[in-house]
Amino acid sequence: MAISLVTGGAGFIGAHVSRELIKMGHTVIVLDDLSGGNRNYLAEGVEFIEGSILDHQLLEKIFNENEIDYVYHLAAYAAEGLSHFIKRFNYNNNLIGSVNLINESVKHKIKCFVFTSSIATYGALEPPMTEDMTPIPEDPYGIAKLAVEQELRVTKEMFDLDYVIFRPHNVYGEYQNLGDKYRNVVGIFMNQIMQGNALTVFGDGQQSRAFSYIGDVAPHIAKCVDIKESYGQIFNIGADSEFTVNELAKVVMKAMGCESELRYLEARNEVVHAYASHEKARKVFGTGSLTTLEEGVRKMADWAKTQGVTSSEKFKNIEILEKLPPVWLED
Ligand SMILES: NC(=O)c1ccc[n+]([C@@H]2O[C@H](COP(=O)([O-])OP(=O)(O)OC[C@H]3O[C@@H](n4cnc5c(N)ncnc54)[C@H](O)[C@@H]3O)[C@@H](O)[C@H]2O)c1
C-alpha cells in the first residue's frame, strides 16, 4: 500500500486531496501546523502530525520513521495580495519550507513529489495562460511558487526526483477557511453575508477570474502519481469560464439566499484578468465536464451555513505597512 505525506492536509485543498488518497487506498500522513487549516477538516483515517515544514528535524524524523512513497506538498500561506507586505514570511514559509521537503524527498528517494504551484506564476501575461508561456510573476507569492517549480526542475536533473506541478487558480468549496480576510473571495463574501455586512470589493469589481470548484481539482492532484505521462510536467487546473467579481457577488448572494450591499474599496495592485487554458490537463487527465459556478457555489453555501460566522483574525506580523489596503487594518 502506498504511503503518502500530505503537507497542509488540514487546509482546504489538502483536506480534499487526502480524502481522494484514502479512497485510492493510500496510507495518508498529514503534516500541518494549523496556521490556516482546521483539525475538524482532516480526512477520516489519516495520521495527523501537528508541525511545520520549517522544522527540518521533524521532517527528518517523519521520513526516517515512514517509508514515504509520495509527497503531496500543499502547505503554504497563499494570501497572494498580502504577500507584498509579508515578504520574509512568504519566502520563508512557502519557499524555504518547500526546500526542506525537497531535501528529505531526495534523501529518501521518494517516487514522486506533487506540488501545488499557482496561476500567480504567470503574473499579468495575456490570458488564457498556457503552460508554455514564460512566467513573469507580479508578487512575492508567485515568485516563491515559481522558485519551487525551478527547484524541482533542477532537482530532477541532479537527483532524479520525479515531480508533478499543478497551477490551480481561485479554487473554492467545502472546507475552505471562511475566516481569512486576506484571501478566498467566495468565502469572504459568504462570511460577510452571514455577519450581515456589505460585501467588500476592491476596485470596480470588473476584474475577472475562473473560479474553480474543488471537486474538479482535487481528484486530479491525487491521481497524478499513477499517470506516468504527467511526471516532469506542469498543468493548469481548474474552471474554464471567467466571471467578474461583481458577477460572483450576485451568484453568492443567490446561493446564500440573501441580498447584501457591495462596498467598493480602492483598487489594489492585482492582475485584472486571470484565467488559464486547461487543454494540457484535459489531454493527460481527461478532466471531463466541470461544475458550473452556480452549482459549486450552492454546494459551498450549504456547507458554509453549517459553519456559521467565522471570526477573521488580523495577520500579526505585517512587515511593510506602506500601501497596505486600509481594509486590512480594520477589525
Ligand atoms: N485555493 C486556491 O485557490 C489555490 C490556488 C492556487 C494554488 N493554491 C495552493 O494550494 C495549496 C493549498 O491551498 P489552500 O487553498 O488549501 O490553502 P489553506 O490555507 O486552506 O491550506 C494550506 C494549509 O497549509 C498549512 N500550512 C501553512 N504553512 C505551513 C507550515 N509552515 N507547515 C505546515 N503546514 C502549514 C495551513 O495550516 C493550511 O492548513 C497552497 O500551496 C496554495 O498556495 C491554492
Side-chain angles (χ1 to χ4, degrees), residues 22-220:
I22 298 269
K23 277 194 243 162
M24 285 159 59
H26 289 216
T27 296
V28 178
I29 302 166
V30 165
L31 173 66
D32 198 300
D33 67 359
L34 298 180
S35 54
N38 187 327
R39 203 182 277 274
N40 297 331
Y41 300 165
L42 287 167
E44 208 176 313
V46 302
E47 180 193 336
F48 177 53
I49 301 170
E50 185 175 344
S52 174
I53 53 170
L54 294 175
D55 183 347
H56 57 86
Q57 282 159 339
L58 173 65
L59 290 184
E60 226 177 303
K61 184 167 179 287
I62 295 171
F63 279 81
N64 281 338
E65 289 178 359
N66 301 279
E67 294 215 348
I68 293 167
D69 296 292
Y70 305 113
V71 171
Y72 290 81
H73 176 34
L74 293 104
Y77 186 41
E80 184 177 358
L82 186 65
S83 69
H84 290 287
F85 309 97
I86 54 167
K87 290 171 186 291
R88 183 173 47 237
F89 177 85
N90 168 76
Y91 289 116
N92 203 25
N93 203 54
N94 296 357
L95 174 55
I96 302 300
S98 303
V99 170
N100 287 341
L101 269 171
I102 293 173
N103 279 349
E104 288 310 315
S105 300
V106 168
K107 278 156 57 186
H108 293 267
K109 301 202 179 313
I110 68 138
K111 293 180 184 150
C112 187
F113 190 104
V114 181
F115 175 58
T116 44
S117 178
S118 170
I119 195 177
T121 52
Y122 293 112
L125 292 176
E126 188 67 33
M129 282 89 167
T130 52
E131 296 86 346
D132 56 3
M133 289 175 165
T134 303
I136 313 177
E138 296 240 311
D139 49 59
Y141 170 71
I143 294 171
K145 289 290 188 189
L146 183 59
V148 179
E149 291 189 3
Q150 301 284 328
E151 218 351 277
L152 287 170
R153 179 179 56 76
V154 297
T155 307
K156 166 70 184 166
E157 282 166 18
M158 188 74 186
F159 300 109
D160 203 25
L161 175 70
D162 275 314
Y163 67 87
V164 183
I165 293 168
F166 288 95
R167 290 178 177 160
H169 49 90
N170 299 93
V171 190
Y172 67 92
E174 300 88 329
Y175 308 133
Q176 189 154 51
N177 182 352
L178 301 173
D180 188 337
K181 60 180 178 179
Y182 306 102
R183 65 182 290 247
N184 307 326
V185 60
V186 183
I188 289 173
F189 281 170
M190 288 181 181
N191 208 23
Q192 288 173 329
I193 288 173
M194 290 190 287
Q195 289 166 316
N197 290 340
L199 309 190
T200 47
V201 174
F202 286 108
D204 62 5
Q206 289 303 106
Q207 62 274 48
S208 64
R209 300 287 184 271
F211 301 101
S212 307
Y213 183 61
I214 184 66
D216 298 329
V217 172
H220 304 296

Side-chain angles (χ1 to χ4, degrees), residues 261-278:
E261 300 275 300
L262 297 187
R263 178 183 159 209
Y264 289 97
L265 309 170
E266 196 182 326
R268 62 178 176 173
N269 182 11
E270 66 176 339
V271 173
V272 181
H273 301 293
Y275 51 94
S277 155
H278 304 105

